[in-house]
Amino acid sequence: MPTLLGVFDNPDDVAEVITRLRARELGALETFSPAPFDQIDEALDEKPSKVRVYTLVGGIIGVCLAYLMQIWMSYDWPIVFSGKPYASIPAYTIIGFELMVLFAGVLTLIGFLIVGGLPQFSTLKGYSARFSAEEFGITVDCSERDASEVEAVLRANSAKEVSVVDA
Amino acid sequence: MADTNEPAPRPTESQLNRDILSVMEGASPGYFLLLACAALTFAVGAAAFLYQVRYGMGVAGYSHPVYWGVYIVTFVFWVGIGHAGTLISAILYLFRAKWRNAINRAAEGMTIFAVMTAGLFPLVHLGRVFKFYWLLPYPNQRALWVNFKSPLLWDVFAVNTYMLISIIFFYIGLVPDFAIARDRSTGIRKLAYTVLSLGWQGTGRQWKSHNRAVLHLSGLATPLVLSVHSVVSWDFAMSLVPGWHATIFAPYFVAGAILSGFAMVCTLMIPIRRIYKLEHIITDYHFENMTRFLLLTSTIVVYAYAIEYFVAWYSGVEAEQTSFWERAFGSYWVSTWIMIICNGVVPQLFWFKKLRTSVPVIFVIAFIINIGMWFERYVIIATGLSREFDPAVWGQYTPSYVELAIMCGSFGFFSTLFILLIKAVPIVAIAEMKELAIHERLHGGAH
């Protein structure tokens, strides 16, 4: 199963190629980009990233844990401070907020790694240093039969180069 | 910002890689000299601290009734410095102010180191520093927990959360840039950047999760940064000390923090830009935008100063009135007027476009603001405590040499870390600059 690599200068072309190849179901795609571009994101996957679930869960865990911790500890060794009740929710809001942000942030980091497939231990087929400079790449794993069609789509959308990176 | 200088044409993407990565390569004798000076200053502070640990808090200038001195002043100062980094990286990100891309990396690095420096001071301020962990709620033999109703404890949580979130934010932003450095380095550096970049290859999946993570962290960091200095201000405002017990403290401190933070960004970025010849990346346009922030926040701070005096007068509370009278015309008058002139009067020069666009002028004014902001905290803390309700227990506070040495040491600590950072990470966010460069290449125009 050959892997074709197309090299582009323009993220709009990359997005266009993704849409066309997807429409014709010509094989699995991978893109390389030196910077983030919304059009490529949207062409690849219209659904919002799952990272948001991690952030939300982290935030909820953090805020619940913070209130529970403060209330439990206040009752575990009860001392009256400033005439306030042991479980004084308004005074505990600050730490509730801080731990919400902390847990949400840590889980966002974890979500970033899991959803982004990091760490990535191997070099992907077709990746080279040019894609961390200024060029964009698309690799397509397609069947022998479709290779010429894939190449035609790549070239039709101003690919600078098309090469076979893995026969 | 219609009347702003149009930014200069941007360099191409490969040029960006080259120019920004070249900052990290090699080091001149001047670099080592600067590093040595910073490290030496830090060493002096560290020695003073050890002296204090050995001989006790008596060597600090603490005397009745002032038991919060230079250490707390410097703590508040450094926490404040950090705020501009988060404002640039998170708030301006949410507002899609793309000009931030040229300065956010350095500002975020500054934030982390400023908060780390600040974090030293509550420890320096402790009589028995080796018991610092008593600040945290942990199961212990005394079966005792910390007091969650104390603003001082809120501060422990706020500052630590702020530091950790800033580090996470900084690191996620760095991953694509570490990959750029990895692809263009050899030997041990390549190995280090390979590990740090986590095998980043800029795939669609990686960018998507990266963008989402940055967006969410911006959303989290924005209220966080406002909360941190508010909590710091409540260390004071929650007490009953005249001059401290005011509802205006939270916004007043946050505006002051942003003022001092932007001033510090200017103070650091102007020499870096000149030494490493990054004028085509960090342009005068960026500095002009920062001066607008300086002008805005300085004006808010002036307003807060005025309101403090007004409230003291209008409240009819004699202790408040006396406290503020003593500030301006009592034994601390020098500090008070330094504060007013440096933070309130001098930044108003930025109303003039000529001064706003002159980099040497910006550098000088930013430096003056840094000094003024340190004095602001000194005035609040020292005058507040030394002129409380009962004139019979009024006192006078003068910082001791040990305190001043430790304060200088903190500047050494911060500078050492920042100087090392310049050689360790790309000091301008390359991938984010490329986003702009590619957009400009294809569609023309500039953000």
Side-chain angles (χ1 to χ4, degrees), chain B residues 288 295 347-358:
Chain B
E288 191 186 345
L295 183 57
Q348 299 299 320
L349 292 172
F350 285 140
W351 284 108
F352 301 101
K353 190 174 174 80
K354 210 167 188 168
L355 300 176
R356 232 166 35 226
T357 46
S358 158

Side-chain angles (χ1 to χ4, degrees), chain B residues 37-49 409 412-413 416:
Chain B
C37 288
L40 191 70
T41 318
F42 172 51
V44 170
F49 173 62
F413 179 73
T416 307

Side-chain angles (χ1 to χ4, degrees), chain A residues 9-12 30-38 41-42 44-49 51-52 55 69-70 72-74 76-77 79 81 84-88 91-92 94-95 97-102 104-106 108-109 111-120 122-124 127-130 132-134 136, chain B residues 12-15 17 137-138 142-149 153-154 157-162 164-165 168 171-172 175-176 179-180 182-184 197-214 216-217 220-221 223-224 227-228 231 234 430-432 434-436 438-439 441-443:
Chain A
D9 272 337
N10 187 335
D12 295 334
E30 187 70 271
T31 59
F32 302 110
S33 161
F37 285 94
D38 290 343
D41 262 13
E42 280 161 22
L44 278 173
D45 181 9
E46 283 169 5
K47 283 182 298 226
S49 169
V51 175
R52 59 195 186 140
T55 312
M69 174 185 79
Q70 295 179 89
W72 175 71
M73 286 177 181
S74 303
D76 188 48
W77 182 291
I79 306 174
F81 286 108
K84 295 189 186 83
Y86 297 130
S88 38
Y92 296 165
I94 309 294
I95 291 178
F97 171 77
E98 301 297 341
L99 288 192
M100 177 192 77
V101 170
L102 179 63
V106 171
T108 304
L109 174 66
F112 159 65
L113 297 176
I114 294 175
V115 176
L118 295 167
Q120 167 78 44
S122 57
T123 305
L124 297 166
Y127 180 80
S128 65
R130 64 200 299 193
S132 62
E134 56 197 0
F136 297 80
Chain B
T12 67
E13 300 90 90
S14 311
Q15 234 176 323
N17 276 353
Y138 71 102
R142 294 161 291 143
L144 191 66
W145 301 106
V146 288
N147 175 12
F148 291 108
K149 291 167 192 134
L153 193 77
W154 303 345
F157 279 84
V159 171
N160 283 308
T161 300
Y162 186 42
L164 286 168
I165 294 292
I168 291 173
Y171 181 66
I172 290 183
V175 169
I180 295 170
R182 171 199 66 201
D183 291 345
R184 282 157 194 80
S197 67
L198 304 171
W200 177 273
Q201 288 163 59
T203 65
R205 181 183 174 195
Q206 290 170 351
W207 275 120
K208 196 177 182 96
S209 88
H210 180 272
N211 290 349
R212 187 47 72 153
V214 170
H216 287 190
L217 282 168
L220 292 168
L224 178 67
S227 87
V228 173
V231 170
W234 293 334
I430 309 178
E432 288 173 50
K434 273 185 198 164
E435 191 187 343
L436 302 185
I438 292 172
H439 190 271
R441 165 158 63 82
L442 299 172
H443 305 291

Side-chain angles (χ1 to χ4, degrees), chain A:
Chain A
M1 206 162 155
T3 304
L4 266 71
L5 168 71
V7 181
F8 298 84
D9 272 337
N10 187 335
D12 295 334
D13 294 333
V14 177
E16 185 63 31
V17 169
I18 295 167
T19 319
R20 296 207 174 169
L21 290 175
R22 282 269 168 87
R24 299 195 204 175
E25 295 176 358
L26 285 172
L29 286 173
E30 187 70 271
T31 59
F32 302 110
S33 161
F37 285 94
D38 290 343
Q39 55 268 52
I40 300 179
D41 262 13
E42 280 161 22
L44 278 173
D45 181 9
E46 283 169 5
K47 283 182 298 226
S49 169
K50 292 262 186 320
V51 175
R52 59 195 186 140
V53 179
Y54 288 84
T55 312
L56 178 68
V57 170
I60 293 171
I61 293 174
V63 73
C64 293
L65 210 67
Y67 278 112
L68 286 174
M69 174 185 79
Q70 295 179 89
I71 293 168
W72 175 71
M73 286 177 181
S74 303
Y75 276 104
D76 188 48
W77 182 291
I79 306 174
V80 175
F81 286 108
S82 321
K84 295 189 186 83
Y86 297 130
S88 38
I89 301 300
Y92 296 165
T93 303
I94 309 294
I95 291 178
F97 171 77
E98 301 297 341
L99 288 192
M100 177 192 77
V101 170
L102 179 63
F103 277 67
V106 171
L107 256 82
T108 304
L109 174 66
I110 295 171
F112 159 65
L113 297 176
I114 294 175
V115 176
L118 295 167
Q120 167 78 44
F121 292 105
S122 57
T123 305
L124 297 166
K125 270 185 283 185
Y127 180 80
S128 65
R130 64 200 299 193
F131 301 126
S132 62
E134 56 197 0
E135 289 163 318
F136 297 80
I138 299 183
T139 58
V140 192
D141 291 323
C142 58
S143 62
E144 262 342 313
R145 203 159 46 89
D146 294 332
S148 55
E149 194 180 347
V150 171
E151 184 173 351
V153 173
L154 294 172
R155 290 209 190 272
N157 290 283
S158 27
K160 288 193 334 192
E161 292 169 38
V162 179
S163 54
V164 179
V165 286
D166 184 21

Side-chain angles (χ1 to χ4, degrees), chain B residues 8-9 11 15-25 28 102 268-284 287 422-423 427-428 433:
Chain B
Q15 234 176 323
L16 280 171
N17 276 353
R18 249 195 333 272
D19 293 351
I20 299 170
L21 292 176
S22 73
V23 175
M24 295 155 67
E25 286 160 11
S28 62
L268 294 173
M269 293 302 277
I270 290 172
I272 290 177
R273 178 177 97 139
R274 196 184 159 103
I275 293 168
Y276 294 107
K277 303 192 175 55
L278 296 173
E279 281 88 351
H280 56 301
I281 294 171
I282 306 163
T283 61
D284 291 352
F287 285 111
I422 293 172
K423 295 292 172 191
I427 202 68
V428 178
M433 287 301 289

